[in-house]
Amino acid sequence: MLSGRRIVLGVSGGVAAYKAAYLARRLVEVGATVRSVMTESAVHFLGAQTLAAVTGHHPVGGFWDEAEVSPHTDLGQWADAMVIAPATAATMAKLATGLSDNVLIATALATEAPLVVAPAMHTEMWENPATQRNVRTLLDDGVTIVGPLSGALAGGDSGPGRMVEPEDILTALTEVLSGSSTEASVRDMDGYAVLVTAGGTREPIDPVRYIGNRSSGKMGNAIAGEAARRGAQVSLITTAAPPSGAAIEVVRVETAQQMADATWERAGEVDFAVMAAAVADFRPRQAEDIKLRRGDGLPVIDVEPTPDILAGIAAMENRPYLVGFAAETGSMEGALRKATEKGVDLLVGNDVTRAGSGFATDTNEVTVYAPSGESDRWPLLSKREVARRLWDRILEDRKPG
Ligand code: PMT
């Protein structure tokens, strides 16, 4: 798909600029023709000569030092696709506002080709409301944003902000060029408000220990991210790290009680609620204030039920369209029973003992049950594809008539 394609590689000034050289090399290896454009600080980080050697073309660095009269429009019209990697917070802000005070932004504004942006910055900068506002604007403008990932960052810190790997960018470029990218391309959830729960709750035993489960939040993140890409306003109530790159309200919680409070507070104002979280069914009646010691003998932990968040929403007078999940082990009978008894509109059952299914995997194999007992078994799919199909099914169900 990338062979024979003309790719403009924009590089802005961050430590991750070193990865741009490898990205350029990979693009050339798969048969693309690459022309590059660099900001002044990118030249400091990477050096123009490196990109020139890898791509066979000297990078464009300014408006005034080029042989071409209008380098930004020439490049913009030439491109089949443009990618900016790394994209700093400043570059994303300029892109979002159209502030074309350098040749990279001018090229991005001058092109009608699809644009892929790979952010890289410190966690605090990524999570800053201004950056998140710019992310939302860019997604609304049809830009494909890949990453960032969570991981080690320059300067020794760790968190979301790390640029995705060049192979991920190649995949994103392939998708935008084949027209199969769903990033901001389907906007059939514009105007809808959505609430999603994700992750596993932790019920404290003492300041050190808790009753928990294996949920990573990946399934809920995929559902929240897909809804946001399709235009919905999304609130994600989660115990886990939220998805990167998605414009969503994230409410971090730890216990079932906190998840219940945050969920019930919002449930009356949304159109759809999807309960993908693995919520503890019981918690220690009393969490100890200080750490339990081995020398004090075996503790007896007295437990009590947690609030049933799903049941609370199902009982609401003006409840949203409600989707429950069921984590089953072996038999799916429990999922069918929950579909018919829990007052949901749909129930998604998954057998968490199956390979590639359930907790902490990137894939899932689910059966979707209607309250009538009618069921639809889907093959093993990526969680993102499960999320896409689930929203298709929910919207189809909600259609009037
Ligand atoms: O997060 P991942 O690692 O990607 O894993 C995904 C998943 C396996 C957690 C997910 O696909 C899943 O199955 N989520 C539901 C897990 C679960 O708690 O199932 P359950 O059968 O115990 O609960 C049924 C439903 O009631 C769920 O929608 C749950 O959110 C809800 N519930 C449960 C207990 C409780 N006190 N309140 C609730 O609202």
Side-chain angles (χ1 to χ4, degrees):
M1 173 51 74
L2 292 173
S3 176
R5 295 306 195 124
R6 294 175 301 207
I7 308 294
V8 170
L9 168 60
V11 186
S12 62
V15 179
Y18 77 92
K19 287 188 187 172
Y22 184 62
L23 171 62
R25 204 187 95 191
R26 286 291 297 127
L27 284 166
V28 170
E29 273 173 5
V30 296
T33 306
V34 182
R35 304 282 304 275
S36 58
V37 49
M38 304 178 83
T39 63
E40 207 179 308
S41 43
V43 176
H44 285 289
F45 276 104
L46 178 62
Q49 206 49 45
T50 308
L51 275 187
V54 174
T55 65
H57 300 276
H58 202 78
V60 172
F63 291 111
W64 317 115
D65 52 359
E66 305 303 322
E68 296 90 356
V69 178
S70 180
H72 56 302
T73 52
D74 289 348
L75 271 185
Q77 285 161 13
W78 175 84
D80 290 326
M82 179 169 178
V83 54
I84 303 179
T88 60
T91 289
M92 292 180 69
K94 289 178 189 182
L95 263 183
T97 53
L99 179 62
S100 57
D101 68 347
N102 65 44
V103 73
L104 185 156
I105 303 293
T107 306
L109 294 189
T111 190
E112 290 182 351
L115 178 60
V116 173
V117 166
M121 63 197 76
H122 282 284
T123 302
E124 294 78 6
M125 297 173 78
W126 172 251
E127 290 179 345
N128 187 286
T131 305
Q132 287 303 306
R133 205 163 42 241
N134 294 330
V135 169
R136 280 195 293 276
T137 303
L138 292 174
L139 287 171
D140 283 346
D141 291 346
V143 173
T144 295
I145 297 182
V146 279
L149 302 172
S150 240
L153 301 168
D157 20 336
S158 178
R162 192 181 160 88
M163 191 173 102
V164 294
E165 295 305 318
E167 292 307 320
D168 299 321
I169 297 173
L170 257 61
T171 304
L173 280 168
T174 305
E175 282 183 358
V176 296
L177 283 168
S178 67
S180 70
S181 171
T182 55
E183 308 287 340
S185 54
V186 183
R187 304 287 298 185
D188 55 358
M189 294 186 70
D190 263 332
Y192 284 129
V194 164
L195 188 156
V196 179
T197 64
T201 60
R202 295 176 167 194
E203 311 301 330
I205 295 170
D206 67 15
V208 177
R209 306 172 180 95
Y210 58 83
I211 296 174
N213 62 67
R214 299 175 196 279
S215 172
S216 63
K218 286 185 179 185
M219 191 65 251
N221 280 359
I223 293 164
E226 176 68 12
R229 271 189 294 278
R230 290 164 78 151
Q233 188 190 319
V234 181
S235 299
L236 177 65
I237 320 292
T238 183
T239 63
S244 52
I248 54 185
E249 182 206 14
V250 177
V251 183
R252 296 294 286 264
V253 295
E254 193 168 301
T255 64
Q257 188 64 57
Q258 290 165 358
M259 185 170 276
D261 293 342
T263 303
W264 289 339
E265 190 185 319
R266 288 164 179 79
E269 280 146 33
V270 298
D271 302 286
F272 304 104
V274 182
M275 309 282 98
V279 186
D281 286 314
F282 46 82
R283 64 187 171 204
R285 195 175 293 278
Q286 172 96 42
E288 301 298 331
D289 291 334
I290 54 169
K291 185 182 171 189
L292 293 169
R293 306 238 163 243
R294 174 188 279 264
D296 295 338
L298 284 180
V300 175
I301 300 171
D302 187 18
V303 295
E304 63 181 6
T306 54
D308 188 331
I309 306 172
L310 190 79
I313 302 178
M316 285 171 63
E317 208 165 282
N318 198 14
R319 75 163 174 80
Y321 184 105
L322 181 58
V323 181
F325 267 70
E328 302 298 332
T329 49
S331 155
M332 294 298 272
E333 267 166 37
L336 177 60
R337 186 176 41 74
K338 286 169 195 167
T340 53
E341 293 175 2
K342 285 221 165 221
V344 293
D345 294 290
L346 275 186
L347 190 118
V348 183
N350 44 191
D351 179 351
V352 296
T353 61
R354 284 180 84 87
S357 252
F359 296 122
T361 52
D362 290 318
T363 51
N364 209 358
E365 190 174 341
V366 307
T367 304
V368 178
Y369 296 90
S372 62
E374 172 256 327
S375 67
D376 192 4
R377 186 170 177 178
W378 296 348
L380 186 69
L381 300 166
S382 69
K383 283 186 174 165
R384 184 165 176 186
E385 182 61 15
V386 170
R388 200 183 63 73
R389 288 188 183 203
L390 182 60
W391 283 119
D392 284 350
R393 168 74 191 256
I394 293 169
L395 296 179
E396 182 65 29
D397 233 28
R398 252 309 271 273
K399 263 193 193 152

